[in-house]
Structures are given as C-alpha cells and as structure tokens.
Amino acid sequence: MDYWGPIQLKPPHRRAAPTKAYVAVFVCFATKAVHLELVGDLSTAKFIEALRRFVSRRGLCSEIYSDNGRNFIGAANELRQLVKTKGHNQQIAQECADNGIQWHFNPPKASHFGGLWEATISSAQKHFVRVLGTHTLAYDSMETLLTQIECCLNSRPIVPMSDDANDYEVLTPGHFLVGTALKAVPDNNVIDIPFNRLRQWQQTQKLYQQLWKRWHLEYSSTLQTRTKWYNPPVHLQENQLVIIKDENAPPMSWKTGRIIQLHPGDDGTTRVVTLLTPTGRYTRPVSKICLLPISSPLERNESLTCAKST
C-alpha cells in the first residue's frame, strides 16, 4: 500500500481555505485488485482508520508491504501496542494474535522496491491530476469519484473465462471482490457540457467520464505490445478472445470478440481480422484490437508451438 496526493478539497464555507487530503492505495499481490481510501492527513490515526475501513470491506490480510514512511511505522507500532494492552478484550486480542498482520517495510530511500503499487498509482494519478485540474470537490464528492475510479481499475480484463467459442466473458479483479463483473450505473454523457453549467453530482460524473476516456485508451494501448526482431512475434489465432478498442465506449464497458478469420497479406502478415461478437460480425484492423494481459493455457501452448517452429 502507498499514498498519493495531496489533493485539494472544497472548504465547508466560502471564506475558509481549501483543505488537503490524501489517497491511500491498497493493491492485492495475487489478483491486482485495487482499493482506494480518502485520508484526511498523514497522521497515524487517520491511517489506522483507513486500514480498518479496508479490512472491514475486503477482509483481513496476512501481510502488508509498504514504504518506510513514518505514518506506516507508527501504525504498525500502535497496532502492536493495542494487542499487548492488558485492558484490551481478551477475545479480540486472541483473534488479532491468531490473524496478525505481518508488516514488511521497504528499505529507506528505495521506492523502486514497490513497483507494483507505484505502477497502480501512476496509472490513475496522472489522469486524475490532469482531469481534476484546478477544480475542487467536497469530501463526499471526492470519495464518490475515488470509488468510481477504483471500480474502473478493477474492471480491466485479465484472462478469458474459457476457451468456448460462444463465451465472451473475461475474468477481472472485480470477480475476486464481488464474485462477478463490476457494473456502472447508466448515466448521461456530460463530457462536452461546460463545468459551470452542471450540478454538483454532475460535475463529479464529468470528471469520472473524462478520466475513464483517458485511462481505458492508454491501458488498451499498453496491451498492444511491439516485439523486437530477436523476440518471437505475437501470433493471432482463430477463436482467440480479444478486446475491441472503442474511443466512445461508456465507462466500465469493455467490448470483446472472438477472432473467426485471419486475413493475411501477400507477405504473410495479418493486418485485418474478422471478429464475432454478441451483436454481430465485424472486420477490424489489428491496430483496433488488443490481446488480454494473460492468455488462456490453450493459447499459450499454441503460441509456444508457433515460436518453436519459426
């Protein structure tokens, strides 16, 4: 886990100065699921409150990795002292001892040790800062926006559900959190409406839609890998599940399709494919489709066979 910020919050009344807040980012090592918590400051007490909210919603974790920040060290010491307190309820103390959290701190001045959560922060923070700009939101509006951003990050496709030609579903981090794919509440498109003409809740949705449009296109581009000449090329195969890039897709919408036909050129390179989707057949260039981050076992075996043959 790590922090990003500070971010500016709208004051309770006009004459007050904007207040600062931070975002606590929790990333699961196993499923890459993301959890965001709005924190009022960098004190130990606020971090423990964020940690308790995280544990209450996601469950108790066995290990936590973090930077060597003073607030994290203070939280670990305070939790340890709480368990050792004689006046603490014996049952709760026993439960904490049985399910104690083992805390791992990175070495000082070694932020590169946390590459997993640093990449997660980078993927969302830079778009969040650009979209938010000089706008300030109230605490509850900012919390709503961060929760929707968390939902977007946890909706990204990871691997096909199956190799069935009629199955277009993909596994996402949201499946590990709620048991199914995460859904968004349908909303009107307010991206092109000026900010000052929108109500407070519509302003939050405008920022959310702008961030989705930026982030999902960038994430799709990272899945279109380009290999050097000394690496085996990416082999497209029939019946392979791919993501279809759509610049106008609404939030939380990932269009998928199965490749049913390859159209290689005179040089043998495939630049056009025919896709089968739940809504029909489409012909798309290879630049408009993306492979999933993790392929199915059948696709990996076939790719390995093609690489050995070449």
Side-chain angles (χ1 to χ4, degrees):
M1 67 89 51
D2 203 352
Y3 274 100
W4 98 47
I7 55 180
Q8 300 290 333
L9 297 180
K10 185 178 294 185
H13 53 85
R14 294 184 178 180
R15 293 186 178 182
T19 58
K20 288 184 179 180
Y22 298 83
V23 181
V25 183
F26 297 84
V27 184
C28 177
F29 275 127
T31 64
K32 305 301 185 292
V34 181
H35 182 89
L36 304 179
E37 286 287 346
L38 188 61
V39 183
D41 53 49
L42 292 179
S43 64
T44 300
K46 292 297 183 182
F47 169 70
I48 291 180
E49 290 178 357
L51 179 62
R52 288 182 175 178
R53 291 196 299 268
F54 165 74
V55 172
S56 299
R57 296 174 183 174
R58 305 302 185 191
L60 188 67
C61 51
S62 59
E63 295 179 280
I64 292 182
Y65 290 80
S66 67
D67 291 335
N68 201 2
R70 290 185 178 274
N71 51 339
F72 301 138
I73 296 176
N77 294 337
E78 196 163 326
L79 286 175
R80 193 179 299 111
Q81 292 297 328
L82 179 64
V83 175
K84 293 180 180 179
T85 302
K86 294 181 179 180
H88 197 60
N89 186 280
Q90 185 67 28
Q91 183 178 356
I92 298 178
Q94 184 63 36
E95 183 178 354
C96 292
D98 294 338
N99 303 306
I101 298 176
Q102 185 178 2
W103 216 296
H104 302 272
F105 294 107
N106 291 342
K109 307 296 182 181
S111 59
H112 60 282
F113 275 50
L116 179 63
W117 60 78
E118 293 292 347
T120 303
I121 293 175
S122 176
S123 65
Q125 182 185 17
K126 63 180 180 181
H127 296 301
F128 176 82
V129 172
R130 292 171 183 172
V131 168
L132 188 62
T134 58
H135 302 296
T136 56
L137 299 177
Y139 190 94
D140 52 350
S141 298
M142 183 63 70
E143 194 170 18
T144 301
L145 178 60
L146 291 175
T147 305
Q148 290 181 302
I149 294 174
E150 171 192 311
C151 193
C152 281
L153 297 176
N154 291 330
S155 71
R156 63 191 187 277
I158 299 177
V159 65
M161 278 291 191
S162 67
D163 293 323
D164 186 2
N166 297 320
D167 187 8
Y168 302 96
E169 293 188 10
V170 292
L171 185 67
T172 67
H175 284 82
F176 298 97
L177 299 177
V178 299
T180 184
L182 299 174
K183 302 294 183 181
V185 178
D187 204 354
N188 296 327
N189 189 349
V190 294
I191 291 181
D192 299 328
I193 302 177
F195 203 79
N196 56 1
R197 293 177 54 188
L198 299 173
R199 297 181 179 178
Q200 182 176 354
W201 66 272
Q202 291 177 325
Q203 293 176 355
T204 304
Q205 296 309 304
K206 177 181 175 68
L207 297 174
Y208 166 60
Q209 292 173 7
Q210 288 178 333
L211 189 139
W212 159 262
K213 189 172 184 179
R214 288 170 174 260
W215 174 77
H216 97 277
L217 290 178
E218 181 181 290
Y219 178 73
S220 300
S221 298
T222 60
L223 301 180
Q224 296 175 317
T225 57
R226 296 182 179 182
T227 58
K228 290 286 187 178
W229 59 270
Y230 47 79
N231 289 331
V234 177
H235 292 277
L236 297 176
Q237 309 160 16
E238 294 185 359
N239 198 34
Q240 190 174 21
L241 187 65
V242 296
I243 304 172
I244 305 174
K245 292 184 66 174
D246 186 2
E247 292 78 4
N248 299 319
M252 307 286 294
S253 176
W254 299 91
K255 296 184 178 181
T256 58
R258 293 274 181 181
I259 299 177
I260 59 175
Q261 188 176 2
L262 304 175
H263 303 283
D266 296 336
D267 56 354
T269 302
T270 300
R271 297 181 177 87
V272 180
V273 296
T274 299
L275 303 171
L276 181 62
T277 68
T279 58
R281 296 189 178 191
Y282 301 93
T283 301
R284 292 290 184 269
V286 176
S287 59
K288 290 297 182 180
I289 63 174
C290 309
L291 301 181
L292 296 176
I294 304 176
S295 58
S296 63
L298 180 60
E299 294 174 356
R300 286 197 294 269
N301 294 335
E302 293 182 358
S303 299
L304 182 62
T305 303
C306 294
K308 289 182 178 179
S309 62
T310 55

